[in-house]
Amino acid sequence: MFFMLKYLYLYESEVFCLAKIITVLSGKGGVGKSTFCANIGKALSINKKVLLIDGDVAFRSLDILLSVGSQVVFDWSDVIFDRCTKEKALLVVSAKLHLLAAPFSLSENFCEEDFKRLIESFSEMYDYIFIDSPAGFNNISEIYAKVSDEIVVIATPDDISLRAAYIIGEKLINNGIDDNKMRLVLNKADFRQMKNGRQRNLDDAVDKTYLRLLGVIPTDKTLTTVGESDSNLLSSRAKAAFLQIAERILGKDVKLYF
């Protein structure tokens, strides 16, 4: 089943859980990819251990979205090139949610094997690792995709964003990524706008991207990141959608929220 945890069996009596690695992509900027990462990380971390990796080199934003920007001293490139321990690079957002900040630049020596070793070094510590990739598709996005178990593509219900999501899917396939690993999250959706034709409806979104739908996040001006202690967590339609997407990622049969 999509998004189920993976396991490494070492001995008959001993089972170690390895994190599910999920890269979050978008064909264009401004569709809410980093906001999705922040919110789904907090929604899942209510019960699971989650690591967010800001993969947007030079333009990192997750540390600001998660209110830990002032704590950043090291980034994940410092771990790769042995400038600090992995523990020192971790930013604590909450008890079960941690963040690795993105570097502002990367060494020319950086390669896929470097990032793969980084992921492997954290994999036994978490249930899920999300990589927030930069918008579009380039060499570093390709590295993230190749080390991941699953891909989530974020789009908004308009023709430009949906075309960009389709192109991302095609590029992933052309780079050897199985399309069964890909899912679509439709963000900033408004049922009334869909009904009057100002936004593409859900069927159109799936038809135009050729991606299977993981979830829909409605437009919600009250949306902030989902905190563990939010007393009115379900009062926001968008927050409720994130919680239901989290349940679906956990492998539960949850009806589509919209």
Side-chain angles (χ1 to χ4, degrees), residues 37-91:
C37 286
N39 279 280
I40 202 63
K42 286 202 168 186
L44 280 167
S45 68
I46 294 172
N47 296 305
K48 299 293 182 180
K49 292 193 69 176
V50 180
L51 174 64
L52 301 178
I53 299 179
D54 195 334
D56 196 354
V57 175
F59 298 102
R60 69 188 189 205
S61 61
L62 277 179
D63 58 313
I64 296 174
L65 285 174
L66 294 166
S67 302
V68 293
S70 61
Q71 300 177 31
V72 178
V73 177
F74 300 106
D75 56 63
W76 51 258
S77 72
D78 293 314
V79 180
I80 288 175
F81 297 110
D82 296 321
R83 293 189 288 261
C84 75
T85 64
K86 63 184 183 181
E87 290 78 15
K88 285 187 176 180
L90 287 171
L91 299 169

Side-chain angles (χ1 to χ4, degrees), residues 1-5 20 150 183 248 250-253:
M1 184 182 290
F2 186 66
F3 285 129
M4 292 300 288
L5 293 179
K20 177 68 75 175
E150 313 292 350
R183 292 294 186 274
R248 204 169 290 117
L250 290 171
K252 298 180 182 179
D253 186 11

Side-chain angles (χ1 to χ4, degrees), residues 159-180:
D159 285 339
I160 294 174
S161 181
L162 294 174
R163 177 188 289 176
Y166 167 76
I167 292 171
I168 283 288
E170 287 294 292
K171 288 182 179 292
L172 289 167
I173 291 170
N174 291 338
N175 281 274
I177 307 299
D178 188 341
D179 62 351
N180 287 319

